[in-house]
Amino acid sequence: MPGSSVAALPSSSPQFWAGQELTLGVMARVSDQTFSLLGVASAPDDVRPATVVSAEYTSTRTVFTLSAGNSTFRLDFLSPVSPSNYVRQSLPFSYLTVSVSNAGGAAVQVYADIDESWTGQSGSTAANSSTTGQTSVFQLSVDGAVTYTQNAMDQALWGEAVFASRSSNSSRLAIQSGPMNSVRGLFARNGTLSGSTPTYAAKDVVAIAQDLGPISSTASVTYAIGYTRDAAVNYLGNARALYYSATYKDSISAVSHFLDDYTDAASEASALDANIDSKATGAAGTNYSDIVTLSVRQAYGGTDLTIPAGTLNTDDVMLFLKEISSDGNVNTVDVIYPTFSIFYVMDPEYIRLVLEPVVRYLESGRWPQPWTIHDIGASYPNATGHDNGQAEQQPIEETGNILILAYAYTLASKSSTWASSHRSLFQGYADYLVTDGFNIASQLSTDDGAGPLANQTNLAVKAAVGLTAFGALYNLQNYTDIGKSYANELYNHSLATDEGKTHFLLQYPESLNNGSAYSTVFNLYPDSLLGLNTFPQEAFEMQASFYPTVRAETGVPLDS
């Protein structure tokens, strides 16, 4: 939900990350008066918009509080982040819990609906509804969708949108599908639904309502919303399924378990939220903790935790990551690199899991270049490699990245087994940095908007840190010495600093640099985090003094 839409929440729709709206309508009826709470732009007659009181977020939740007459409603969206629980982490659902308080004994009914916008298209939707015990489930899919395809706005087309809820001993559940105005209008007038589920037509909604009865204290209803894909990723021609598939074979059993798991998932989420907020605030204050808190769901929400679809072997786990907001590449190494710090803290095994598909491909011999590949697939979820060697070329960037990442995993996991099994591969990349990591040919870095440049300081820093990481990984002092010799030239001998030694330059030597051009030298970060000591403390202090002098309203620019 865009922040600019929160004030008008009762009429505003949530959005997919690329910007398209997803229909999610929520209403509540109190003493025969119906209120819109979320996403009801064209409200039925006599429906009044609730008043937004507050909005807040944590690492796992977004919570809106609204007043509806004398009653208070709370919309609690929970997306579990549970790195060590692979089933919970791999389930592609979120919870919406609608809670009511201060109803004064009035009868309360709650309603929610979705439509085919969740399938990524309109007009070719197949719908199914089922009720087992107290649980009702709607499934929306695309007729004739081709596996592993998406629309122009990055939404998957080959899976199922799933919408479910469960009644309790004190509530009655009803379902209905059909034209939006008809279905919403019936609930607005009567506080219930008809149970009718005719053949789905374009723009229809599927709706679930619950009658909570008279409420004297508090009560709540929980919905599950998500999107499942039986074949989640195409890895070198072999289908990978989401991890939960080993236990829950279809969408209905998966979402039923998800609802069963709510109490435990919510409890874990609350503890995680408090821990992250406390530690981040303690590290650098509330501005920093706000950013860290906001980043958690983004980091984990962009990943798929998978096993082979054919065998469902839970000993063969791989994590796949989509490069969004750009070109949709699969497991882009310079996207994994800035992501690794959250895995390093929360569960370092994820560093290995996300590198595993990259390393297996590189060791297959299908990638013909001497440097590390940029990504293993041009368009998610097709991780089919680049056997022709024509992936985006960022030789020093990705080669330094993979060595730093391998050492970060080994250090955090306290296990050298995985790195030992790939020593030959990593040795070749370390040797590439020895020959090509200092006098750097014109090439792209992860800051590819700047275009290709020779002798980029930030790349040379990465090469230096990558070499010391490799030396530490295998106790090879000669590689550590070479990395530190790069650092010695770049900083101690001022090759890559300005004349006054106030900051690192964008390019070195200074005669090559464009005036006072600089970049944010973020590749110093793993040197500090991993305790490699490639660069002296004075280099960090130099940059720390410089950045405030160029900081703008939104932060320090990536480069000048």
Side-chain angles (χ1 to χ4, degrees):
M1 177 67 67
S4 58
S5 301
V6 170
L9 193 72
S11 60
S12 299
S13 294
Q15 294 181 2
F16 191 65
W17 68 262
Q20 62 268 46
E21 290 188 347
L22 301 174
T23 295
L24 174 59
V26 182
M27 296 187 291
R29 186 173 166 88
V30 183
S31 294
D32 300 329
Q33 173 61 57
T34 302
F35 297 89
S36 56
L37 305 180
L38 170 69
V40 184
S42 300
D45 292 342
D46 299 324
V47 172
R48 292 163 51 187
T51 301
V52 178
V53 175
S54 66
E56 58 185 306
Y57 65 86
T58 68
S59 291
T60 63
R61 285 183 159 96
T62 300
V63 181
F64 302 105
T65 302
L66 306 96
S67 62
N70 294 323
S71 301
T72 300
F73 285 88
R74 176 182 167 98
L75 306 185
D76 181 348
F77 291 88
L78 167 61
S79 298
V81 175
S82 185
S84 61
N85 185 330
Y86 287 3
V87 171
R88 185 178 292 157
Q89 183 59 42
S90 65
L91 284 162
F93 305 114
S94 292
Y95 299 103
L96 165 59
T97 298
V98 183
S99 304
V100 58
S101 59
N102 303 321
V108 176
Q109 298 87 37
V110 174
Y111 166 101
D113 66 35
I114 68 169
D115 72 2
E116 64 186 352
S117 60
W118 292 76
T119 70
Q121 56 76 57
S122 178
S124 297
T125 302
N128 181 63
S129 64
S130 61
T131 299
T132 304
Q134 296 175 294
T135 304
S136 290
V137 182
F138 281 104
Q139 298 160 272
L140 302 178
S141 59
V142 181
D143 276 332
V146 177
T147 305
Y148 307 130
T149 58
Q150 61 184 18
N151 66 15
M153 298 289 281
D154 278 288
Q155 274 185 274
L157 295 173
W158 75 99
E160 286 184 336
V162 179
F163 182 51
S165 190
R166 176 177 296 162
S167 62
S168 67
N169 293 332
S170 60
S171 68
R172 297 195 308 274
L173 183 150
I175 66 171
Q176 186 176 344
S177 62
M180 177 185 291
N181 291 339
S182 297
V183 177
R184 290 181 175 178
L186 179 61
F187 175 82
R189 292 189 303 274
N190 301 328
T192 190
L193 298 173
S194 69
S196 173
T197 56
T199 301
Y200 192 91
K203 306 298 184 180
D204 279 358
V205 296
V206 296
I208 303 175
Q210 293 211 39
D211 186 344
L212 301 178
I215 304 300
S216 57
S217 56
T218 62
S220 63
V221 173
T222 296
Y223 296 89
I225 310 170
Y227 192 89
T228 63
R229 293 163 291 145
D230 290 340
V233 173
N234 169 20
Y235 180 59
L236 305 180
N238 299 303
R240 305 279 303 183
L242 295 175
Y243 186 94
Y244 74 83
S245 303
T247 306
Y248 303 102
K249 309 300 183 185
D250 54 44
S251 296
I252 293 177
S253 62
V255 77
S256 295
H257 165 75
F258 186 73
L259 290 168
D260 289 340
D261 193 44
Y262 175 72
T263 300
D264 289 344
S267 177
E268 180 190 46
S270 294
L272 178 67
D273 291 343
N275 189 33
I276 289 174
D277 181 67
S278 174
K279 289 184 175 179
T281 301
T286 56
N287 286 345
Y288 178 69
S289 66
D290 286 347
I291 295 171
V292 173
T293 293
L294 189 62
S295 301
V296 174
R297 270 180 285 174
Q298 308 301 318
Y300 283 92
T303 63
D304 282 324
L305 192 63
T306 72
I307 53 178
T311 64
L312 300 180
N313 177 12
T314 56
D315 291 327
D316 183 6
V317 184
M318 292 184 188
L319 188 70
F320 291 88
L321 181 151
K322 181 177 183 177
E323 180 179 347
I324 66 170
S325 302
S326 51
D327 51 17
N329 290 170
V330 185
N331 284 42
T332 304
V333 179
D334 63 290
V335 174
I336 296 171
Y337 175 71
T339 306
F340 93 88
S341 57
I342 194 168
F343 298 155
Y344 184 85
V345 172
M346 293 184 63
D347 191 332
E349 203 60 28
Y350 277 59
I351 302 173
R352 179 186 67 82
L353 294 177
V354 74
L355 287 178
E356 188 67 28
V358 179
V359 167
R360 288 192 197 180
Y361 176 70
L362 292 171
E363 289 184 332
S364 72
R366 292 168 56 172
W367 171 245
Q369 305 292 3
W371 56 79
T372 301
I373 199 169
H374 171 266
D375 61 82
I376 56 170
S379 180
Y380 202 90
N382 293 293
T384 51
H386 296 281
D387 295 3
N388 61 1
Q390 295 304 306
E392 185 171 338
Q393 307 295 305
Q394 295 185 12
I396 301 301
E397 177 73 49
E398 311 301 14
T399 305
N401 284 340
I402 204 165
L403 297 179
I404 294 167
L405 292 165
Y407 182 63
Y409 168 70
T410 300
L411 188 66
S413 67
K414 298 180 174 60
S415 172
S416 60
T417 303
W418 183 77
S420 295
S421 67
H422 302 297
R423 179 168 177 168
S424 178
L425 179 72
F426 296 148
Q427 177 81 60
Y429 293 141
D431 291 341
Y432 180 80
L433 293 182
V434 170
T435 58
D436 291 81
F438 190 73
N439 294 310
I440 301 175
S442 180
Q443 61 188 266
L444 294 173
S445 70
T446 190
D447 180 17
D448 51 8
L453 296 170
N455 286 355
Q456 293 185 58
T457 299
N458 204 24
L459 283 184
V461 170
K462 176 160 287 180
V465 176
L467 283 167
T468 55
F470 178 77
L473 192 58
Y474 300 109
N475 195 28
L476 295 172
Q477 187 62 40
N478 55 324
Y479 288 91
T480 298
D481 290 344
I482 295 171
K484 290 188 174 184
S485 73
Y486 287 4
N488 187 52
E489 291 295 322
L490 295 169
Y491 176 75
N492 291 335
H493 292 175
S494 301
L495 179 65
T497 71
D498 66 318
E499 185 175 356
K501 211 168 190 177
T502 65
H503 64 277
F504 279 117
L505 303 171
L506 175 63
Q507 293 173 273
Y508 59 89
E510 193 166 12
S511 60
L512 186 64
N513 200 54
N514 181 16
S516 60
Y518 65 87
S519 69
T520 301
V521 189
F522 51 78
N523 288 318
L524 287 170
Y525 170 67
D527 193 37
S528 176
L529 176 69
L530 306 178
L532 291 167
N533 300 314
T534 313
F535 284 82
Q537 182 61 28
E538 292 79 6
F540 294 89
E541 293 172 356
M542 176 185 74
Q543 291 299 106
S545 297
F546 172 69
Y547 290 142
T549 69
V550 294
R551 183 173 57 208
E553 182 179 1
T554 55
V556 178
L558 189 57
D559 61 55
S560 58

